[in-house]
Amino acid sequence: MFIVEETIVGTEAAQIPKQRGESLLETAVRYAEERHWDVFPGTWLEAVEGSQRCSCGDAACPAPGSHPARPDWATQATGSATVARRMWQKQPTASILLPTGRTFDAISVPETAGFLALARMERMELTLGPVTLTPDRRMEFFVLPGAGVKVPDLVRKLGWSVSSLDLTVLGEGAYVAAPPTRFGSRGAVQWACRPTPANRWLPDAEELISPLAYACGRDR
């Protein structure tokens, strides 16, 4: 079975971003340096009257400490480890956000459907890319860029309509929050399927869409 892991151990650890025992700055640098992902710092959490509030100042922020801090975030994103280090040195507690539509897209599904799909993919012996598990109970499967164009037609060929499934493709103009970014008091983003040297090459959306659509259909 696939297991949600909070730390990465063993011989692969030197090549893979850790979650614990490492600062947000060092983790962001690892994503840029070792996975060649673009990164950018988002908002962060601040202690206000004994509670954690988003740095954006909105007391009712729906994604406290885990969304872009500025409207031009797309131009701020960088794949340079040196630039990433400089940005997080300015705000060490900023969330780590990864723009989609560049080195990867992400297919987002409900957590229950995601775990069902993971079990099915394991039986099918599919090779997965990284998969995140977010505190708002979503799972995001990293796939090759261009998924947004392909997925609607692929889903229709399977007998579904995209509007009937709780399945969303995050591509150009969107982003995902990377571990160990926290969503306010709800907890931190984790890896459901961690980055490893073996999954550096991402699957195409076409390889994963059948088990994902099936799981979302079951989860309706």
Side-chain angles (χ1 to χ4, degrees):
M1 292 291 293
F2 290 91
I3 300 172
V4 175
E5 303 201 24
E6 293 188 342
T7 57
I8 298 171
V9 298
T11 57
E12 298 171 344
Q15 296 176 269
I16 303 167
K18 303 178 205 174
Q19 275 193 239
R20 293 197 175 193
E22 191 169 42
S23 67
L24 286 160
L25 183 155
E26 292 299 334
T27 304
V29 168
R30 279 176 174 263
Y31 289 145
E33 192 170 57
E34 297 170 8
R35 297 300 292 197
H36 304 295
W37 290 338
D38 283 3
V39 298
F40 68 98
T43 53
W44 56 93
L45 297 173
E46 298 175 331
V48 179
E49 298 177 352
S51 63
Q52 295 288 315
R53 296 264 184 96
C54 185
S55 62
C56 72
D58 181 359
C61 179
S66 57
H67 64 85
R70 41 195 278 186
D72 63 342
W73 61 264
T75 61
Q76 185 188 22
T78 179
S80 164
T82 301
V83 175
R85 182 177 297 278
R86 191 180 307 132
M87 289 194 295
W88 266 271
Q89 283 174 338
K90 293 179 181 177
Q91 183 45 254
T93 58
S95 52
I96 303 173
L97 305 180
L98 313 174
T100 49
R102 299 188 182 188
T103 52
F104 65 89
D105 282 358
I107 301 176
S108 175
V109 300
E111 176 187 297
T112 49
F115 278 118
L116 178 63
L118 282 176
R120 191 174 178 87
M121 290 172 187
E122 184 182 40
R123 290 194 297 271
M124 296 168 69
E125 298 184 346
L126 293 178
T127 301
L128 292 178
V131 182
T132 61
L133 174 63
T134 69
D136 57 356
R137 305 181 69 84
R138 304 289 297 183
M139 293 180 77
E140 292 161 347
F141 291 72
F142 289 22
V143 295
L144 289 172
V149 175
K150 297 178 179 180
V151 164
D153 191 47
L154 291 171
V155 169
R156 279 193 294 271
K157 287 179 179 178
L158 293 169
W160 302 93
S161 66
V162 174
S163 61
S164 70
L165 302 177
D166 188 359
L167 183 153
T168 306
V169 178
L170 302 172
E172 188 175 356
Y175 62 89
V176 298
T181 294
R182 295 192 66 81
F183 280 36
S185 61
R186 283 176 276 172
V189 183
Q190 302 178 65
W191 290 116
C193 185
R194 66 188 184 180
T196 69
N199 65 19
R200 184 174 295 279
W201 302 104
L202 298 176
D204 190 275
E206 189 169 359
E207 299 172 61
L208 306 187
I209 199 62
S210 177
L212 285 173
Y214 170 81
C216 287
R218 286 278 303 271
D219 193 51
R220 290 192 304 169

